[in-house]
């Protein structure tokens, strides 16, 4: 893993003496590094590296790599590169070529990465990220530099030469965060910093940035016309290859697997079977939970050590301190799931321990849960990705933006637009705060989010994804025995109406047997109130209304939601019409996290 900032002077080389450029870059990047140093996690070395890109190019790179890992800035022939996520730099330099003035892959370089590639003898730089965009490209344009980074705060500090107090928060992002929980438009928490679309690249030439097509060639071998069996085989192969890359990146480190009893957890545990990796599994919950029962059964099947715990609280005595710590550790990105923001992130228990989770894969069709939607139903499904807490005037531009996206996006059908929404937004930007938070403490191993897996998902038909036949078939190839286990409160979609005679297989009856009831153990010791408890809901509402930012929220929230806050602060949890209680409290958490972010207190932790 790495964190980087590329600084590209905007002045033409002919307008100043070239020998002054390296010193100017050095001075600027040193000031930015000083301003950013406190945000680095314990897994990173303290000393940044400032690298010239050699040749006649004027760009420079500020970077930090994990302790003991090799430098991520590499140069070969006419190209240089810096990467975050999968350490793909050496492969990129071998694969990428210039043809007709454009970069392209001669052979695919899979993984999950953001990269910046420069041409050593030209002031031309191209930056992009793989899909899903867990590591994403952010950029900012100043009078004298273009800054590109995998962390938006680094780009924001570039604009103000590392002076934290001068960083400006973007109120446009605030409205978008309240509505979605993450950015849809490309806004970031910081004024002047934007995120590129997942399906585009950023090119900078002569100091001027513009969006361009991605380099061609990052495609696999699954044909568009294929059988269901061929699709499942290709998905299984891609998942195993992605797991190979994850294992190589671990370099012998132990691994913490966060698991439930669901489809993605059993897939990850299946991918870990038979590998020389020291694994411990962890499930958050109680013994009575179906997820816990299933996780215990699966780990017993593989001989994997397993524990059931409750998450540890983040540092800080007060709730605002704990949430502020999470925003700080996420580099100023408020979490998409803010009800988890009072807890620690990766929380490694052993030095160097990596973490693995199933992270919003594309194997299941994205937002599509069935095969038949009217065009109006597709629009409704997408618009409902926004919450119900903004007033009409605050919500209107977001709905307009989504309708514009639906009208412009190129899809083979209206149904595929539900997949493409997940591909471009939900499976990437939704997770960027989480990735920044977790990766500062522990290495991430997320094979489900590998570009090779995404490429297969792009090629699978919507029927193969939505029915979950491709995922079921891939899991059967990776770990056939686990198909005999039931799911907790769900089923495989292709079996929602009963057994599929052509596809269910011999283990259908075994997985159709409900979980046996488990007697709840007697409570022992003091219990921590859940994040959805009345106690915490009242506290959230009270602190939001007592904040100096309360007038800002009053101008953005609907009358019903603001009234619910007032009533909750008085001890009365009155749920607005059209919501359920948990949804309302989730909104309280989102407003609270936004308030902590807007306070700027996290900048000085």
């Amino acid at each position: 893993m790495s964190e980087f900032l590329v600084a590209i002077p905007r002045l033409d080389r002919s307008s100043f003496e070239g020998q002054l450029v390296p010193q100017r870059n050095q001075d600027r990047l040193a000031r930015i590094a000083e301003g950013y140093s406190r945000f680095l996690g314990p897994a990173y070395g303290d000393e940044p590296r400032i690298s010239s890109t050699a040749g006649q190019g004027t760009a420079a790179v500020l970077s930090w790599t994990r302790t003991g890992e090799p430098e991520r800035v590499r140069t070969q022939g006419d190209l240089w590169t810096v990467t975050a996520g999968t350490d793909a730099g050496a492969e990129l330099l071998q694969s990428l070529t210039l043809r007709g003035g454009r970069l392209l892959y001669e052979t695919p370089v899979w993984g999950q990465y953001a990269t910046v590639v420069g041409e050593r003898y030209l002031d031309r730089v191209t930056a992009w990220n793989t899909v899903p965009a867990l590591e994403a490209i952010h950029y900012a344009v100043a009078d004298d530099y273009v800054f590109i980074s995998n962390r938006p705060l680094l780009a924001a500090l570039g604009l103000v030469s590392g002076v934290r107090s001068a960083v400006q928060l973007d109120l446009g992002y605030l409205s978008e965060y309240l509505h979605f929980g993450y950015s849809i438009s490309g806004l970031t928490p910081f004024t002047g910093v934007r995120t590129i679309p997942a399906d585009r690249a950023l090119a900078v030439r002569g100091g001027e940035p513009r969006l361009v097509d991605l380099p061609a060639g990052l495609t696999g071998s699954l044909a568009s016309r294929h059988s269901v069996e061929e699709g499942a085989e290709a998905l299984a192969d891609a998942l195993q290859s992605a797991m190979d890359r994850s294992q190589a990146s671990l370099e012998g480190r132990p691994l913490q697997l966060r698991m439930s009893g669901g489809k993605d957890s059993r897939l990850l545990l299946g991918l870990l079977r038979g590998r020389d990796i020291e694994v411990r599994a962890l499930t958050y919950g109680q013994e009575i939970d179906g997820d816990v029962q299933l996780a215990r059964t699966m780990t017993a099947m593989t001989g994997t050590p397993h524990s059931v715990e409750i998450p540890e609280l983040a540092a800080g005595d007060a709730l605002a301190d704990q949430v502020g710590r999470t925003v700080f550790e996420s580099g100023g990105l408020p979490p998409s799931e803010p009800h988890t923001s009072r807890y620690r992130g990766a929380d490694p228990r052993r030095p160097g321990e990596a973490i693995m989770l199933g992270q919003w894969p594309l194997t299941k069709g994205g937002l599509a849960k069935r095969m038949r939607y009217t065009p109006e139903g597709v629009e409704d499904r997408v618009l409902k990705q926004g919450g119900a807490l903004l007033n009409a005037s605050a919500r209107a531009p977001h709905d307009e933006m989504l309708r514009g996206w639906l009208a412009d996006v190129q899809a083979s059908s209206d149904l595929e637009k539900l997949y493409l929404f997940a591909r471009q937004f939900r499976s990437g930007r939704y997770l960027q705060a989480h990735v920044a938070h977790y990766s500062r403490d522990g290495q991430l191993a997320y094979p489900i989010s590998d570009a090779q897996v995404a490429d297969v998902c792009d090629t699978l038909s919507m029927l193969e994804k939505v029915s979950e036949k491709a995922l079921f078939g891939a899991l059967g190839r990776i770990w056939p025995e686990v198909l005999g286990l039931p799911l907790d409160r769900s089923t495989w979609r292709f079996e929602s109406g009963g057994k599929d005679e052509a596809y269910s297989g011999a283990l259908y009856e075994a997985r159709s047997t409900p979980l046996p009831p488990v007697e709840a153990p007697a409570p022992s010791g003091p219990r921590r109130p859940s994040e959805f408890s009345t106690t915490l809901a009242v506290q959230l509402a009270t602190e939001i209304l007592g904040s100096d930012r309360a007038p800002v929220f009053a101008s953005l929230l609907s009358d019903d939601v603001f009234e619910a806050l007032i009533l909750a602060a008085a001890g009365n949890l009155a749920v607005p019409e059209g919501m359920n209680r948990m949804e309302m409290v989730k909104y309280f958490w989102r407003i609270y996290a936004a308030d902590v972010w807007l306070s700027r207190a996290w900048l000085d932790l």
Side-chain angles (χ1 to χ4, degrees), residues 179-180 184 375-376 378-384 392 395-409 414 417 421 425:
H179 195 51
F180 298 106
I184 295 290
E376 295 76 19
V378 169
E379 179 178 292
D380 183 64
R381 185 90 173 99
V382 170
L383 292 183
K384 283 184 177 176
R395 175 178 179 136
H398 304 307
D399 286 352
E400 182 180 353
M401 178 172 55
L402 288 179
R403 289 191 178 99
W405 178 82
L406 282 167
D408 293 342
V409 67
D414 284 330
K417 293 178 182 180
F421 183 93
F425 306 117

Side-chain angles (χ1 to χ4, degrees), residues 247-398:
Q247 181 172 1
S249 71
L250 292 175
E251 296 183 326
R253 296 179 181 88
L255 178 71
Q256 172 195 154
L257 172 63
R258 297 267 181 94
M259 68 177 302
S260 65
K263 299 162 188 171
D264 299 333
S265 286
R266 55 190 69 191
L267 176 60
L268 290 177
L269 190 58
L271 289 171
L272 289 166
R273 285 193 323 148
R275 293 179 180 266
D276 185 20
I277 303 173
E278 183 185 351
V279 180
R280 71 177 181 95
L282 169 63
T283 303
Y284 289 137
Q286 304 176 59
E287 294 293 342
I288 194 174
D289 297 340
D291 270 347
V292 170
Q293 297 176 58
L294 286 165
R296 283 211 181 281
T297 300
M298 287 188 286
T299 51
M301 289 169 68
T302 58
T304 304
H306 177 247
S307 61
V308 180
E309 302 176 16
I310 59 173
E312 295 290 334
L313 293 174
D317 296 328
L319 182 60
D321 296 334
Q322 294 163 355
V323 176
R325 172 60 57 174
T326 293
V327 174
F328 165 81
E329 292 181 353
S330 303
L333 284 160
S336 300
E337 296 288 352
H339 60 279
T340 67
S341 60
R342 64 172 178 157
Y343 302 119
R344 294 181 188 174
D347 194 21
R349 307 296 170 81
R350 292 171 288 178
E353 185 179 56
I355 185 169
M356 178 182 283
L357 297 89
Q359 288 300 344
W360 236 88
L362 296 171
T363 55
K364 305 170 190 173
L367 300 185
K369 305 303 180 187
R370 59 181 190 272
M371 286 298 295
R372 295 185 182 275
Y373 289 84
T374 64
E376 295 76 19
V378 169
E379 179 178 292
D380 183 64
R381 185 90 173 99
V382 170
L383 292 183
K384 283 184 177 176
Q385 293 308 294
L389 72 171
L390 293 185
N391 59 43
S393 61
R395 175 178 179 136
H398 304 307

Side-chain angles (χ1 to χ4, degrees), residues 442-469:
Q443 181 172 332
L444 305 185
Y446 289 177
I448 286 179
S449 298
D450 191 278
Q452 186 177 6
V453 178
D455 174 73
V456 172
C457 292
D458 287 349
T459 311
L460 294 171
S461 70
M462 287 301 296
L463 178 60
E464 288 172 294
K465 293 190 283 274
V466 174
S467 69
E468 298 181 333
K469 283 187 174 182

Side-chain angles (χ1 to χ4, degrees), residues 94-153:
Q94 289 289 334
S95 170
L96 291 171
T97 188
L98 286 161
R99 190 171 299 167
R102 293 186 55 191
L103 281 172
L104 59 83
Y105 292 90
E106 289 198 320
T107 54
V109 179
W110 301 118
Q112 179 265 306
Y113 55 85
T115 187
V116 182
V117 176
E119 298 167 52
R120 295 176 66 198
Y121 303 106
L122 292 173
D123 278 329
R124 182 162 60 184
V125 168
T126 308
W128 68 95
N129 43 249
T130 54
V131 175
L134 303 192
E135 286 285 358
I137 292 294
H138 316 279
Y139 70 101
V141 183
D143 290 339
D144 52 352
Y145 279 94
V146 175
F147 295 102
I148 303 174
S149 181
N150 67 318
R151 296 288 179 263
L153 179 55

Side-chain angles (χ1 to χ4, degrees), residues 173-227:
Y173 175 85
L174 172 64
S175 175
E176 204 161 321
Y177 174 74
L178 288 172
H179 195 51
F180 298 106
Y182 56 99
S183 171
I184 295 290
S185 68
L187 290 176
T188 74
F190 310 107
T191 301
V193 182
R194 292 191 65 86
T195 303
I196 68 170
D199 57 353
R200 299 283 277 168
L202 179 74
V204 183
R205 178 148 195 197
E208 295 302 321
R210 62 189 179 96
L211 294 175
V212 298
D213 292 337
L214 288 167
L218 195 60
T219 52
S221 58
L222 178 64
S224 297
R225 296 181 179 180
H226 58 264
S227 67

